[in-house]
Amino acid sequence: MSAGGSKRAIIAALAANAGIAVAKFIGFAITGSSSMLAEAVHSIADTSNQGLLLYGQRAASKEADRLHPFGYGRSRFFYSFVVALVLFTLGSVFALYEGYHKIHAPEHLQSPIVAVVILGVAIALEGYSFRTAFVESKPLKGGATWWQFIRNSRNPELPVVLLEDSGALLGLAFALFGVGMTILTGDPVWDGIGTVAIGVLLGIIAIVLMVEMKSLLIGEGATAAQEQAILEALAGTDDVERVIHCRTEYLGPEELLVAAKIAITPTADLPRVAATIDAAERRVRTAVPIARVIYLEPDLDRSAANS
């Protein structure tokens, strides 16, 4: 899938979170709820994150130059990693601090029913954002589970938006729980407990994202299915006796580097070797269209001679 699908999901999330953030800050100003404030800061973090993801897509579209001969595709991985850092520092740490403060120095809520109404509206808007990300992710997910999709996807934005929206919905549920229990029991400590739960949730999501984006930044190879298709394409080329070794690496979400050493028929002359390499490259690009950068090194099959 091109960046178009992830861009639609990002824009939907950005619009929803911006509106939700304003509503939550108004709700905090009226009620004084720490859960509402933590959720407002969470929405600000999410809105900033969607802006970073859009900027990352724009940066990744820059043409290759002398300093970056393979292009800027990994910008999308980098800015997704920054998103995880923002979610952790601005969302999780703030919520944990605010929750701790409210548990040790609880304050009674003013007009808590306002918070309940705003949280209900926010859940509806976040549900819309989550549905958009869910629909855009399904073609990429295929037959894998959602956890496998998040762990294995080379498209960084959709897993980020999915996790953010999932965290937002759960965070709203925690905030609603905290405010609701405060209303039922008259004890404002519950509001602080809900805030701490939001902080823990955001911390877990941020750590998962950091681990996955770090793996992409370092450089991940082709999926097992892609690697198998590449090997079959190379081995099935006329005059290729076997693939000696093959290495792959994602240069960006939609660009794969393939480097391989192939054993070619010993009797092939130079024009025939060149034609074989050209044919092998065409077969690989047909099998795996995102394999845009291919380096093939011809060699002789010495395994038979050494056996």
Side-chain angles (χ1 to χ4, degrees), residues 55-63 71-76 79 253:
Y55 183 80
Q57 288 193 342
R58 181 179 177 183
S61 66
K62 291 172 60 177
E63 294 293 331
Y72 291 82
R74 283 187 180 171
S75 293
R76 289 169 66 181
Y79 283 101

Side-chain angles (χ1 to χ4, degrees), residues 52-53 55-64 68-82 154-157 212-222 247-258:
L52 285 169
L53 292 177
Y55 183 80
Q57 288 193 342
R58 181 179 177 183
S61 66
K62 291 172 60 177
E63 294 293 331
H68 299 91
F70 290 109
Y72 291 82
R74 283 187 180 171
S75 293
R76 289 169 66 181
F77 301 150
F78 171 75
Y79 283 101
S80 296
F81 183 79
V82 174
R154 271 58 169 182
N155 181 314
E157 295 92 0
E212 295 309 314
M213 293 309 122
K214 169 180 169 287
S215 180
L216 289 170
L217 275 173
I218 291 173
E220 290 190 3
R247 302 289 185 271
T248 62
E249 185 170 311
Y250 269 85
L251 302 175
E254 285 110 28
E255 188 170 25
L256 184 65
L257 165 69
V258 177

Side-chain angles (χ1 to χ4, degrees), residues 129-147:
S129 174
F130 177 81
R131 182 182 180 279
T132 303
F134 179 85
V135 170
E136 296 295 343
S137 300
K138 283 195 76 174
L140 279 176
K141 170 181 167 291
T145 65
W146 284 106
W147 178 244

